[in-house]
């Protein structure tokens, strides 16, 4: 596989679908994964291992994970909120398991009904479970720190809390710590400041990617800020899936198509074919007909974006 500069990690099948108003049939999830791989995506977060009673959209998690594992070279990432979920994810063969923990104590309690310290202890048990597997079968465990740039319950989250929790996660045994702007409250300056502070504490090797939401329209600006401080893994979602009905176009992840366009225009290699990526939207259109699709590049078309004669002539 050719060398890339930035790893674009597609999280739509997990983050997008768990927010969608309807459940996407399993066959469409598989078509989406196949189309994304065909477009050049190398990492896809395909599902979440949560009780189907709580999130019916993820009832087929094991089947979808096993299917994704059939594509050679694809890193199959999943989310698991607790030990039980992580155990199921390992059984299904996931390559990377993100375990979420909120940087905000109030949000962590509301979300997973335990304190942050209890969450760290749970993550330590997940890491022990990983270590009990033969080396070749061990998944990468990512501590996914959420609400890093602000919480809808308690407001601002102190940077010191984020740094302290990152260190605690490394201590618990995670392979990397990813930082998520769950609420879309970051700005480019705070992105840089937090990533630098966490890197200074845990080191380059343990620092994972940036998971950004576009709630206030700063998603791509924040992605650029993360790149500028050396972050090379960026999460995004096809068509910005996951939008909130009360804030149209605002609450989903940053749009994969627009992110890939920006990176490639900057001369950074993603390994992704933009036209094929845009074609993936067809699967969403068919599989979730009620769901709005966002993104600028899909609207204007990729052919106008390249350094074409047309563009040079118009400049
Ligand atoms: Zn998210």
């Amino acid at each position: 596989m050719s060398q890339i500069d930035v790893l674009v990690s597609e999280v739509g099948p997990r983050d997008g679908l768990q927010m969608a108003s309807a459940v996407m049939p399993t066959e469409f999830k598989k078509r989406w994964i196949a189309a994304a791989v065909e477009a050049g995506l190398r990492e896809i977060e395909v599902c979440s291992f949560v009780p189907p009673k709580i999130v019916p959209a993820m009832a087929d998690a094991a089947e979808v994970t096993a299917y994704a594992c059939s594509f050679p070279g694809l890193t199959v990432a999943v989310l698991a909120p607790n030990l039980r979920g992580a155990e199921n994810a390992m059984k299904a063969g996931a390559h990377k398991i993100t375990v979420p923990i909120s940087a905000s104590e109030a949000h962590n309690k509301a979300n997973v009904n335990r304190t942050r310290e209890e969450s760290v202890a749970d993550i330590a048990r997940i890491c022990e479970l990983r270590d009990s597997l033969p080396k070749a079968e061990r998944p990468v465990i990512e501590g996914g720190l959420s609400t890093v740039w602000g919480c809808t319950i308690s407001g601002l989250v102190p940077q010191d809390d984020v740094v302290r929790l990152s260190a605690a996660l490394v201590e618990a045994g995670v392979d990397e710590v990813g930082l998520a702007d769950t609420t879309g409250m970051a700005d480019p300056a705070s992105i840089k400041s937090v990533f630098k502070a966490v890197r200074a504490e845990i080191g380059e090797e343990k620092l994972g990617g940036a998971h950004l939401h576009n709630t206030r329209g700063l998603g791509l600006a924040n992605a650029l800020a993360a790149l500028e401080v050396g972050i090379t893994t960026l999460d995004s979602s096809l068509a910005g899936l996951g939008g909130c009905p009360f804030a149209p176009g605002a609450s989903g992840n940053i749009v994969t198509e627009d992110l890939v366009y920006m990176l490639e225009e900057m001369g950074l290699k993603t390994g992704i074919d933009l036209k094929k990526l845009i074609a993936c939207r067809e699967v969403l259109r068919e599989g979730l007909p009620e769901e709005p699709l966002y993104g600028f590049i899909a609207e204007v078309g990729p052919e106008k974006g390249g350094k074409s004669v047309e563009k040079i002539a118009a400049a």
Side-chain angles (χ1 to χ4, degrees):
M1 237 178 242
S2 57
Q3 210 54 38
I4 56 168
D5 300 308
V6 179
L7 177 67
V8 173
S9 180
E10 171 65 50
V11 298
R14 195 278 302 171
D15 208 338
L17 292 185
Q18 79 181 13
M19 290 290 291
S21 49
V23 173
M24 181 184 265
T26 310
E27 280 319 301
F28 283 94
K29 293 185 183 182
K30 291 180 178 176
R31 274 178 57 191
W32 181 359
I33 291 165
V37 171
E38 169 65 22
L41 268 295
R42 290 154 194 234
E43 181 172 299
I44 307 177
E45 192 171 65
V46 297
C47 63
S48 181
F49 281 83
V50 284
K53 262 190 199 160
I54 299 175
V55 188
M58 295 293 144
D60 54 6
E63 184 181 345
V64 170
T65 301
Y67 174 76
C69 287
S70 70
F71 294 92
L74 178 69
T75 299
V76 179
V78 305
L79 193 114
N82 50 36
L83 182 61
R84 177 131 192 212
E87 206 173 348
N88 290 334
M90 287 180 205
K91 273 185 201 147
H95 304 139
K96 178 178 172 182
I97 302 172
T98 297
V99 188
I101 166 174
S102 186
S104 147
E105 183 81 352
H107 186 265
N108 204 59
K109 277 190 173 151
N111 209 26
V112 286
N113 196 28
R114 55 176 96 104
T115 66
R116 291 173 298 183
E117 302 316 315
E118 285 165 338
S119 281
V120 170
D122 200 43
I123 290 171
R125 284 190 284 274
I126 291 171
C127 292
E128 276 171 30
L129 184 64
R130 171 204 59 199
D131 293 341
S132 72
L133 296 174
K135 261 201 173 135
E137 288 169 31
R138 288 178 198 168
V140 168
I141 304 292
E142 181 195 55
L145 261 180
S146 63
T147 68
V148 165
W149 283 272
C151 167
T152 44
I153 304 166
S154 61
L156 286 177
V157 173
Q159 185 171 298
D160 284 352
D161 283 16
V162 176
V163 171
R164 190 178 53 76
L165 278 166
S166 299
L169 288 171
V170 170
E171 183 70 22
V174 302
D175 298 288
E176 54 189 64
V177 178
L179 304 182
D181 182 22
T182 317
T183 52
M185 286 163 77
D187 62 77
S190 62
I191 286 278
K192 288 185 179 182
S193 146
V194 174
F195 269 108
K196 281 183 187 167
V198 171
R199 178 187 281 128
E201 178 73 22
I202 67 173
E204 180 67 37
E205 208 186 307
K206 297 281 181 190
L207 187 60
H211 177 98
L212 305 169
H213 280 251
N214 200 32
T215 319
R216 289 169 180 78
L218 298 189
L220 284 186
N222 290 339
L224 179 60
L227 279 174
E228 285 178 353
V229 289
I231 300 305
T232 54
T233 298
L234 297 169
D235 289 1
S236 61
S237 176
L238 184 70
L241 199 66
C244 167
F246 305 105
S251 276
N253 290 98
I254 54 175
V255 177
T256 306
E257 305 89 299
D258 294 354
L259 175 66
V260 168
Y261 172 80
M262 179 181 88
L263 296 170
E264 292 283 339
E265 285 293 299
M266 289 170 69
L268 296 168
K269 289 192 182 68
T270 62
I272 297 167
D273 180 319
L274 191 52
K275 278 187 188 168
K276 287 183 179 172
L277 179 65
I278 290 171
C280 296
R281 292 164 69 100
E282 224 23 70
V283 185
L284 294 191
R285 229 172 252 128
E286 285 179 46
L288 280 179
E290 303 291 304
E291 208 64 23
L293 307 185
Y294 304 111
F296 289 99
I297 295 309
E299 289 297 322
V300 296
E303 67 282 354
K304 290 178 185 129
K307 296 202 171 37
S308 61
V309 176
E310 223 176 307
K311 187 174 174 181
I312 294 162

